[in-house]
Amino acid sequence: MARRRQAVTIKHVAADAGVSLQTVSRVINNEPNVRAEMKQRVQASIDKLGYVPSIAAQRMSGSRSYLILAINDRERTIADWRARQGTDWVDQMLLGGMLKCAEHGYRMIFELVDTHDDHVERELLAAIAALQPDGIILTPPHSDNPQIVAFLAGQNIPFVRIGSHEDGAGIPLSMDDEGSARTATRYLIGRGHARIGFIAGSDEYNLSGWRVDGWRAAMAEANLPTEALLEAGDFSYASGERAARRLLQLPQRPTAIIASNDQMALATLEVARDLGLAVPDDLSVISFDNTPLVHFTQPPLTAIDQPIAATASRAVELIIAAQKGEERPAELTVISADLVERGSVAPPPASIR
């Protein structure tokens, strides 16, 4: 029977480098006050022996757990997964968060919590007790849920609130929803559109209102009307279908529509086809999210590319900085989005112009 290869431990690294266990621990954890020469010596032994630090070993070296907990909305996430709709918010969160965690020797764990649950505090307490995370990332609508924010404020754990502008407990981190909507609206105005409809998302999410604010601001800058051009949705395909039908059956219909997510934009495309309108010749459409499915629509959708991965990555950095005792940013941290041009926007029809 082959002999089992002995696992390399921190003790082997310390012996090979001729340093103390504490020195190896400080190097592994990227702690300050370690001379460059010492870092190189310890790293050379790590590389030579093939040592891989474990979370258990890192935890034993101090009070940190090296785990960051990201919390997403259970109800909407599970509904999207079961519908197999191709939304990739969670994928992008994991991409940005996990890669940044790996740079610093951390791990990210994802938990789903129902923001409407009467027992939300109990759910959070159970997760915190089991995992003892070094920090928590809240996503909308948890980010501005006063019960969740107040509860975490009492746990003495750094936490970041993605999609939040409000000051107070935790660290707010914005994806510039208002600015993104303004960018999309200005883009359409630049192509000659004057009647631009907007389908808002669920009012449970503060970001839905900020996107409406950005659309209104850009329309006001150009002295263009918004009356009757705003319809409410809830981020579902069905709500987008209802909203798009109301907009496109107006006596003076919009020549362009901005939808607050990809599902509602897909519904807008379908309603336009049903009404005999060609996109983009008769109607231009811009979406938020830029999930994979918009590449394959007919035509492919021009979209605001939400910087979810970059935002999750920055959230991890902010938590690690807080763990090191650094002061939180004095101003709101904003991660800007880009507009990705595809085939769903054109100048309005000459007859309407």
Side-chain angles (χ1 to χ4, degrees), residues 217-230:
M219 295 291 278
E221 286 172 4
N223 294 315
L224 295 175
T226 57
E227 186 178 356
L229 292 174
L230 174 64

Side-chain angles (χ1 to χ4, degrees), residues 102-122:
E103 289 181 22
H104 296 272
Y106 278 72
R107 297 292 185 272
M108 173 175 277
I109 294 181
F110 223 87
E111 289 279 328
L112 300 180
V113 171
D114 187 356
T115 196
H116 302 295
D117 194 338
D118 293 338
H119 307 296
V120 65
E121 291 186 11
R122 189 169 67 192

Side-chain angles (χ1 to χ4, degrees), residues 12-20 24 38 41-42 45:
H12 295 115
V13 175
D16 187 79
V19 299
S20 67
V24 177
M38 191 64 69
R41 193 200 311 183
V42 171
S45 293

Side-chain angles (χ1 to χ4, degrees), residues 50-93:
Y51 172 68
V52 178
S54 69
I55 288 180
Q58 289 176 302
R59 282 181 150 180
M60 290 174 63
S61 70
S63 59
R64 285 182 285 174
S65 69
Y66 294 91
L67 292 175
I68 291 177
L69 175 62
I71 297 176
N72 209 45
D73 184 20
R74 174 188 287 135
E75 184 178 352
R76 189 172 297 277
T77 302
I78 291 177
D80 286 345
W81 284 343
R82 284 179 172 160
R84 306 183 76 173
Q85 291 178 336
T87 53
D88 68 342
W89 171 280
V90 174
D91 289 347
Q92 290 298 307
M93 280 283 297

